[in-house]
Amino acid sequence: MHDAVISLCAPSFVVSHPDGQLDGGADGFYHGDVRALARLTVAVEGSALAPLSGGLEGADQAGFRAVLRGLGEVTADPVVALCRRRTVFSGRLEELFEVSNHGTRHVRFRLTVRASTDLAPMERVKSGHVLDDVPAEAEEDAGALVWSRGGFAVRLLSTPAPDELDPATGRLSYEIELAPGQSWSALLSGTAAHDDGDQFPAAPADRVPWRTPVLRSADRRLDRWLAQSVADLDRLRLTDPLSDGNAAARADQFLAAGAPWYLTLFGRDAIWAARMLLPLGTDLAAGTLRTLARRQGRIADPATEEQPGKMLHEVRRTTHEFTGTALVTDVVVLPPVYYGTVDATPLWITLLHDAWRWGLHAEEVERLLPHAESALSWMRDHAETGGDGLLRYIDQTGRGLANQGWKDSDDAIRHRDGRLAAPPIALCEVQAYAYEAARGGAALLRAFGRPGADGWEEWAERLADRFRKRFWVEDARGPYPAVALDRDGRPVDSVTSGFGHLLGTGLLNREESALLAARLTASDLDSGHGLRTLSSESAGFNPYGYHTGSIWPHDTAIAVHGLVRAGFPQAAAPLAAGLLTASAGFDARLPELFAGHGSTVGAQPAPYPASCRPQAWSAAASVLVLRSALGLEADVPGGTVTVAPTFAHEYGPLGVTGLQVAGHPLEITVAADGTTSALAPEGLTVVRG
């Protein structure tokens, strides 16, 4: 996937080769977790296509150029060119083919487009299982091919109609004759739909739930990273059909996790992405909160891992089955609505708290407080089942996710010597999320006159005491928190990027935070392109390991923000610089993850072959890094906005517009010498650092 061109407009997207051809592997036009077209290639009889250039033009468009050798040539110079332009809409793909004759001779040739599909569900594509092609039917009069199976239908229409249409081979052929200076074009429009509609419909194009930021800095890489990220996020928007009123214009919006594998609702991903985008407005956070609240657990169901008050992990149209690693299970089988996550619930509470601080209207917050109280109760009740007051997870089904934090691969949680941790497992970052959620929940309860605030603050402090006693271990470099506690309560002593998720949550004191700041900037974790998920000094380190040595941009961005919140901006700056360098290596579209070799091995980061690109929280990481550089915090209930630039001067002078607090614009400029000015909404006081 690392060199694929992915154009998207959720819940649809296209994966193609760099030359524009859809032909093999994971290539295809997809809609609603089904591959609508597996092949869409163009060829010219008697001529070789020589690709010249191609790639993205925004998020939902791509363009490709090639020359047709051997046609109309008088000298060695090519004269006939093919331009292929692609645009993706929700449920529709448009491919415009244009051939131009720049020579001095007439040319005549046959151009053939070949289309086919297996109508494969996404999990079959991801696992590499090849399915037989589904036979096509022809609409001769319309110049169209049609495929259908199991309530899913695809139609490919050509304008003009082809001279020959062969459904058996999926061929659309055109006889073309061009005089010097003439051009010919054909538009292929592919539509795809489920009989019962989209599970999560596309969001209206004119109803983006945030302000679009515009950054002008001395480092154009940062400007480009932010612009591409926001464009990708725009096309990852989906709506909740269960929204009040059930109208697209009013439906709540959230971000799909990523293309190609996760273009649906994932609780943890949607929450983190919305939280990172709070400086652009609170509408996305509100939509995400409500979408998940409607699906909050109500009963105890071991098959789906639903529990009262719990937030879900993911939603699919059907049961999702894929090959496991064989370390725990050969086959993973997830029900359509699956609750196997230990961290989405505390993260939901914190998103509500943070959205309130950024100006989410009090009435909207108050309507969600009963869900927050249920989520808080789940944290307490779930922690008490283990007997030690810590939040733990275990897959009760034997067919679900073995690990249920964000590092959810089977081999993610391991001891320093490489041994896998035995469940139930208590993750270090989950305790930090729970602490922050309890404190934030208490602040909400107190502000809105609801009971229980004191009790949750006390609960948080007891959790912090347990963490301090149980998680801290020591090696030759000194003390650090274990990544987890295993089934027997023993610390899982590997050194991981999880340190970054603890910082700034309040769980640690100043001295503990300083220890982790030093760890995060050491070369075994800081690769120069971002944080490795596992220390390069640990047994089992693999730069291509999904969670055992690779680099995840969102993970590093969380650490950058945590370091700034904890008072260590000098440690945050090089991590942010590493992400910026990596963004340039990926044409400003940072993938879900990439290999953890680091800058000492090569100036450019190495890709992880099957990574999603774009991924919501990787794209949103650009906004969080910018926020961290600006030292930007909001306390609308308290009437203040804090602008205390940390490492923003490294990109200065810079100016950013399109930020938003309490529904009103916020503009910030930072001069080359660090002098800062901020234009904040009326009624809010700007606190400068």
Side-chain angles (χ1 to χ4, degrees):
M1 299 299 302
H2 65 276
D3 61 350
V5 177
I6 302 179
S7 313
L8 79 158
C9 181
S12 302
F13 63 92
V14 175
V15 180
S16 79
H17 292 352
D19 62 2
Q21 304 280 48
L22 282 65
D23 189 17
D27 285 0
F29 164 44
Y30 295 80
H31 179 72
D33 263 1
V34 178
R35 180 154 59 184
L37 290 174
R39 176 180 287 107
L40 191 64
T41 61
V42 60
V44 172
E45 191 175 287
S47 176
L49 267 69
L52 298 179
S53 63
L56 288 173
E57 297 176 356
D60 55 4
Q61 299 181 42
F64 310 91
R65 292 187 179 275
V67 291
L68 307 180
R69 297 312 312 249
L71 287 179
E73 296 170 0
V74 177
T75 69
D77 296 332
V79 296
V80 180
L82 169 67
C83 180
R84 181 175 184 171
R85 294 199 173 276
R86 172 177 303 147
T87 306
V88 184
F89 306 88
S90 175
R92 187 168 94 254
L93 162 67
E94 289 188 354
E95 295 266 344
L96 177 65
F97 297 94
E98 184 175 23
V99 184
S100 301
N101 181 8
H102 301 285
T104 58
R105 296 179 174 178
H106 280 70
V107 294
R108 183 171 182 172
F109 54 92
R110 176 177 289 273
L111 183 144
T112 300
V113 174
R114 186 180 176 196
S116 63
T117 185
D118 51 8
L119 299 182
M122 177 56 70
E123 66 267 22
R124 297 299 296 270
V125 178
K126 186 178 183 183
S127 62
H129 293 154
V130 178
L131 302 182
D132 293 336
D133 283 347
V134 174
E137 296 180 1
E139 294 180 358
E140 299 284 357
D141 294 340
L145 295 174
V146 177
W147 299 263
S148 63
R149 184 174 63 190
F152 185 75
V154 182
R155 184 172 185 262
L156 183 65
L157 172 68
S158 172
T159 306
D163 299 306
E164 294 183 16
L165 184 66
D166 183 1
T169 60
R171 293 164 63 91
L172 301 89
S173 295
Y174 310 83
E175 283 288 347
I176 303 169
E177 184 172 355
L178 295 177
Q182 281 189 331
S183 296
W184 169 93
S185 64
L187 178 65
L188 270 66
S189 179
T191 55
H194 292 274
D195 286 352
D196 56 355
D198 294 331
Q199 185 179 28
F200 294 110
D206 60 352
R207 191 170 162 264
V208 180
W210 58 72
R211 289 181 185 266
T212 299
V214 176
L215 175 65
R216 293 289 181 267
S217 75
D219 194 327
R220 294 300 184 224
R221 298 175 304 167
L222 183 60
D223 302 359
R224 188 179 175 216
W225 179 26
L226 181 67
Q228 180 65 56
S229 296
V230 174
D232 287 336
L233 291 164
D234 183 10
R235 288 298 180 255
L236 285 167
R237 293 182 294 126
L238 291 173
T239 60
D240 181 9
L242 303 182
S243 301
D244 297 338
N246 200 29
R250 299 188 300 275
D252 288 322
Q253 298 186 35
F254 64 91
L255 291 175
W261 316 123
Y262 310 122
L263 209 64
T264 184
L265 174 62
F266 276 73
R268 177 193 305 119
D269 298 59
I271 292 168
W272 266 121
R275 191 177 177 192
M276 291 177 179
L277 294 183
L278 280 171
L280 309 185
T282 60
D283 286 352
L284 178 67
T288 302
L289 289 163
R290 288 192 291 261
T291 296
L292 290 169
R294 293 185 187 100
R295 295 162 176 83
Q296 187 174 25
R298 293 178 175 82
I299 63 172
D301 183 357
T304 64
E305 304 212 36
E306 179 180 356
Q307 295 169 333
K310 190 178 185 182
M311 296 298 171
L312 60 80
H313 174 63
E314 69 177 286
V315 179
R316 300 278 186 174
R317 180 175 285 272
T318 60
T319 297
H320 193 57
E321 182 175 326
F322 54 94
T323 303
T325 64
L327 291 171
V328 178
T329 181
D330 291 329
V331 178
V332 177
V333 181
L334 305 183
V337 181
Y338 179 56
Y339 287 80
T341 169
V342 71
D343 53 7
T345 307
L347 288 171
W348 186 95
I349 300 168
T350 302
L351 176 60
L352 178 62
H353 170 264
D354 289 0
W356 169 61
R357 297 258 302 183
W358 277 89
L360 183 61
H361 197 278
E363 291 182 0
E364 296 186 67
V365 175
E366 194 161 21
R367 281 196 292 268
L368 289 167
L369 288 180
H371 296 280
E373 290 169 326
S374 294
L376 287 165
S377 296
W378 177 85
M379 288 200 314
R380 179 194 60 218
D381 298 342
H382 187 65
E384 289 179 354
T385 60
D388 59 3
L390 300 172
L391 272 70
R392 296 176 176 270
Y393 64 80
I394 184 172
D395 170 34
Q396 300 284 359
T397 69
R399 302 185 302 169
L401 295 176
N403 284 313
Q404 297 185 359
W406 83 262
K407 297 176 183 177
D408 58 4
S409 52
D410 289 356
D411 62 347
I413 309 303
R414 54 177 62 217
H415 293 267
R416 193 182 184 97
D417 60 9
R419 290 177 297 116
L420 296 185
I425 292 171
L427 292 174
C428 67
E429 68 265 24
V430 170
Q431 315 315 312
Y433 300 159
Y435 178 90
E436 190 172 21
R439 298 280 303 183
L444 287 168
L445 295 175
R446 184 172 289 115
F448 286 87
R450 300 173 82 99
D454 291 346
W456 282 110
E457 288 176 342
E458 293 168 3
W459 185 90
E461 294 313 310
R462 291 195 298 271
L463 179 61
D465 289 341
R466 295 187 188 101
F467 184 89
R468 193 161 282 116
K469 293 175 182 176
R470 302 284 302 280
F471 275 81
W472 283 84
V473 294
E474 191 166 353
D475 63 8
R477 295 187 189 177
Y480 66 96
V483 65
L485 302 182
D486 68 7
R487 173 179 58 201
D488 300 316
R490 292 175 301 194
V492 182
D493 58 349
S494 54
V495 173
T496 75
S497 62
F499 296 159
H501 293 242
L502 309 180
L503 291 164
T505 62
L507 182 69
L508 307 177
N509 61 33
R510 175 74 182 182
E511 292 181 31
E512 293 165 341
S513 297
L515 290 170
L516 298 196
R519 288 275 185 169
L520 288 169
T521 53
S523 60
D524 61 320
L525 285 179
D526 181 7
S527 73
H529 293 146
L531 286 174
R532 298 183 177 98
T533 43
L534 180 67
S535 166
S536 58
E537 298 174 356
S538 293
F541 168 76
N542 174 7
Y544 294 104
Y546 197 58
H547 293 119
T548 56
S550 63
I551 298 163
W552 291 63
H554 88 283
D555 184 35
T556 301
I558 289 169
V560 168
H561 188 229
L563 285 164
V564 168
R565 291 174 72 192
F568 299 93
Q570 71 280 4
L575 294 180
L579 281 184
L580 187 56
T581 299
S583 76
F586 288 106
D587 295 325
R589 179 183 263 186
L590 274 175
E592 173 190 15
L593 71 156
F594 51 92
H597 296 293
S599 57
T600 59
V601 175
Q604 300 295 321
Y608 178 88
S611 181
C612 283
R613 187 166 173 248
Q615 181 89 347
W617 57 14
S618 286
S622 62
V623 178
L624 187 60
V625 167
L626 177 62
R627 173 184 172 182
S628 303
L630 294 172
L632 179 60
E633 298 291 340
D635 181 10
V636 172
T640 63
V641 177
T642 299
V643 182
T646 55
F647 50 88
H649 63 280
E650 297 187 12
Y651 314 120
L654 67 80
V656 59
T657 60
L659 303 177
Q660 187 173 188
V661 182
H664 300 285
L666 170 67
E667 299 181 11
I668 299 174
T669 59
V670 180
D673 63 0
T675 304
T676 305
S677 63
L679 180 61
E682 184 178 350
L684 292 177
T685 300
V686 177
V687 178
R688 294 180 175 84

